[in-house]
Amino acid sequence: MKKKKKLLYIVEAMGGGVFTYIVELSNALSEEYDVYIAYATRKQTPENYKEYFNDNIHLIEVKNFTRSVKSTKDIKAFFEIRKIAKEIKPDIIHLHSSKAGVLGRWAFGGRKVPVFYTPHGYSFLMESISKKKRFVYKAIEQVCAIRRCTTISCSKGEHEETKKMTSRAIYVNNGINTESLQKMLDKVDVEKNNQFTVFTLGRICYQKNPKMFNEVAKKLPDVKFVWIGDGELRHELTAPNIEITGWSDRETALTYAMSADAFVLTSLWEGLPMSLLEAMYMKKVCVVSNVIGNKDVIRDGVNGFVCDDVDKFARDLCYIRDNDCSSMIEKASLDMAEKYNTVVMAKKYDEIYKNELKKDSRKRSK
C-alpha cells in the first residue's frame, strides 16, 4: 500500500469561517494525505471542535499562539511550530491566517519542504485598526513575501492584493460542503414569516458593520431584520424591526436562515465569507457590501446585489420583495455547483500540492 504524504496545517485562528474552512478541507483530503493540524482555539471555536474532524486527522494544540502581537509568546510559538514540524517531518506545510503566516514563513525556508500560505483576509485591509497599524501589517507581509513560499488566496480580490507583493501567487475559491449542508437542511422545519424577512449571520462586531445594518433596517420599517449571532456591538442594533437571536446551535441558525427571504452582509472587509456561500446554496437572494470577498462572488444584478451605501441596500431589498428573482437565484446556484463547494476546492488543492511535490522530487533527483 502506497504511503500517504504528510500534510501539516498550521492554523493560529481556528475560529469562525477559518474553522469551517479547515474542517472541510482537511476532512476532504484526509483519505489522500496523512493530515496534521497544529492550531490554537478562539472564543468562536466550538467546544466540541474535535468532533468535527475525521478520526484519521491528527490535532496538535500550539500552546503559545496568541491573536495579538506579543513578542515573548510569538518567539515561543516560533520554536514550538518548528519543533512540531521536526517531529512530524511533513512533506507539505500550509500556513493559515496572518500570525501563522508570519511565523511560519520564517520558521520554514521552503527549500526542504514546500510551504504554502493562505491569509484568509489580510490584516492590512482591516478598517477596525488605525492607518499606522495597517501600514505596519502591510510592511510585515511585504517582508515575509520574500521568503520561499506560495500564497494561495481564498478569493480573486485577495489574490490581486497578493500579486502586488509576490509572483508566487495563486488562488482557490473557498467552498462549502454542500452535501453535509443539505443533510442538515433536510431536518429543518421552515417557519414561514408573515412579513418580508432578511437575515445576516455572524458576530456583531466592527467588521460586520452593525451600524449600517441598523441604518438599512430603519429605512425599511415594514421589513423584518434578523441577526443570527451575538457580539460586543449588539447595542448598535437599535431599530425596532431587528431581532437578535443570540448564539444558537447549527440547526436553529439554519431554521432562522431558511425562514427568511433574503441575505444581507454589510461587512467592511471580508476574505470569502462562508455565510454568503451558504445563503447562496439555500437559494436566498444576497445583498452585500462592495468589498473584496463579497464582490468576488456576487455580480451586481446578475446573481445578487452589490451595494456601496445604505440607500442602495434599501432599494435592492425592496426590489427583491416586489419582484421575481428566480433567475438570480438559479445563477447563484450554478456558481455554487461549479466554483464554491468543497469537492471543487479539495480537488484544486490536491492538484497544487501534487504538482509542487513533483517539482520537489525532480529537484532532488538532479
Side-chain angles (χ1 to χ4, degrees):
M1 187 176 176
K2 187 180 177 182
K3 189 177 179 182
K4 292 180 183 180
K5 295 292 184 180
K6 291 182 179 180
L7 173 57
L8 173 60
Y9 285 151
I10 300 178
V11 193
E12 181 272 315
M14 203 163 78
V18 177
F19 173 72
T20 305
Y21 164 98
I22 290 294
V23 168
E24 301 296 3
L25 182 58
S26 58
N27 284 346
L29 293 175
S30 64
E31 294 305 315
E32 185 71 24
Y33 297 86
D34 193 8
V35 181
Y36 294 78
I37 303 174
Y39 68 95
T41 58
R42 283 192 178 176
K43 287 181 180 179
Q44 310 100 299
T45 309
E47 289 185 11
N48 62 335
Y49 66 91
K50 292 182 180 180
E51 295 173 17
Y52 286 74
F53 294 95
N54 289 348
D55 292 339
N56 59 349
I57 291 173
H58 314 274
L59 298 173
I60 307 161
E61 188 169 3
V62 180
K63 306 293 184 185
N64 292 290
F65 263 152
T66 59
R67 183 174 184 173
S68 57
V69 177
K70 294 181 179 178
S71 56
T72 305
K73 280 277 189 180
D74 290 343
I75 292 168
K76 287 181 179 178
F78 174 90
F79 288 107
E80 191 175 358
I81 60 175
R82 282 187 58 159
K83 182 181 178 184
I84 289 168
K86 188 176 180 180
E87 290 172 354
I88 294 170
K89 296 181 175 60
D91 298 286
I92 298 164
I93 296 172
H94 192 157
L95 314 165
H96 295 273
S97 295
S98 300
K99 178 66 72 75
V102 172
L103 297 179
R105 278 179 287 182
W106 291 99
F108 314 109
R111 296 188 181 278
K112 293 182 179 179
V113 177
V115 177
F116 298 93
Y117 164 52
T118 297
H120 296 285
Y122 281 113
S123 297
F124 61 78
L125 297 176
M126 295 167 57
E127 293 192 20
S128 59
I129 58 178
S130 66
K131 287 184 179 180
K132 184 178 179 181
K133 276 191 175 181
R134 291 205 297 271
F135 176 82
V136 171
Y137 287 159
K138 187 164 188 177
I140 291 171
E141 288 285 355
Q142 289 170 330
V143 170
C144 291
I146 67 175
R147 300 292 286 174
R148 192 180 181 85
C149 171
T150 300
T151 300
I152 309 177
S153 298
C154 285
S155 69
K156 188 177 180 181
E158 189 170 81
H159 176 58
E160 293 303 319
E161 290 293 332
T162 301
K163 287 196 297 182
K164 296 173 186 176
M165 296 180 281
T166 177
S167 60
R168 293 188 292 270
I170 50 182
Y171 82 93
V172 177
N173 286 316
N174 267 358
I176 60 170
N177 189 327
T178 53
E179 184 180 343
S180 173
L181 179 57
Q182 187 57 54
K183 285 179 181 177
M184 286 185 277
L185 292 175
D186 290 340
K187 300 175 184 177
V188 169
D189 293 321
V190 179
E191 300 171 6
K192 188 61 183 172
N193 288 299
N194 295 323
Q195 64 186 122
F196 185 76
T197 302
V198 303
F199 81 98
T200 196
L201 184 148
R203 195 165 130 236
I204 309 174
C205 61
Y206 183 82
Q207 180 200 355
K208 299 300 181 183
N209 202 356
K211 190 172 287 186
M212 177 177 273
F213 187 88
N214 192 66
E215 290 303 310
V216 177
K218 288 199 293 187
K219 283 263 184 183
L220 302 171
D222 296 331
V223 175
K224 182 179 179 181
F225 286 74
V226 178
W227 192 303
I228 305 170
D230 211 333
E232 62 273 19
L233 295 183
R234 66 177 290 152
H235 62 274
E236 292 189 354
L237 300 174
T238 59
N241 53 330
I242 294 177
E243 176 186 351
I244 303 171
T245 69
W247 294 116
S248 55
D249 59 51
R250 183 76 162 139
E251 189 173 329
T252 304
L254 290 175
T255 300
Y256 281 116
M258 284 297 291
S259 301
D261 300 287
F263 173 77
V264 170
L265 196 59
T266 53
S267 310
L268 292 168
W269 72 89
E270 286 289 354
L272 202 166
M274 295 293 187
S275 59
L276 171 58
L277 301 183
E278 290 190 348
M280 290 168 68
Y281 180 78
M282 288 185 277
K283 298 186 182 297
K284 306 301 175 184
V285 186
C286 299
V287 188
V288 302
S289 55
N290 187 13
V291 298
I292 287 173
N294 291 348
K295 65 182 180 180
D296 297 323
V297 178
I298 299 298
R299 291 160 287 156
D300 190 37
V302 178
N303 64 347
F305 294 98
V306 180
C307 305
D308 288 304
D309 54 43
V310 170
D311 287 338
K312 189 168 188 303
F313 268 104
R315 286 198 306 272
D316 290 340
L317 287 171
C318 287
Y319 180 88
I320 297 165
R321 180 190 60 194
D322 301 333
N323 294 273
D324 178 10
C325 295
S326 55
S327 63
M328 282 189 181
I329 290 170
E330 289 309 311
K331 286 184 175 70
S333 295
L334 185 62
D335 286 340
M336 290 302 304
E338 293 179 350
K339 301 177 185 177
Y340 304 113
N341 63 78
T342 48
V343 174
V344 174
M345 181 175 74
K347 185 179 179 182
K348 287 185 177 180
Y349 274 106
D350 184 37
E351 289 171 359
I352 291 166
Y353 295 154
K354 283 178 177 172
N355 285 338
E356 195 63 32
L357 288 170
K358 282 179 185 175
K359 284 194 284 185
D360 197 51
S361 178
R362 285 197 293 269
K363 286 178 193 172
R364 294 184 186 188
S365 62
K366 287 181 179 179

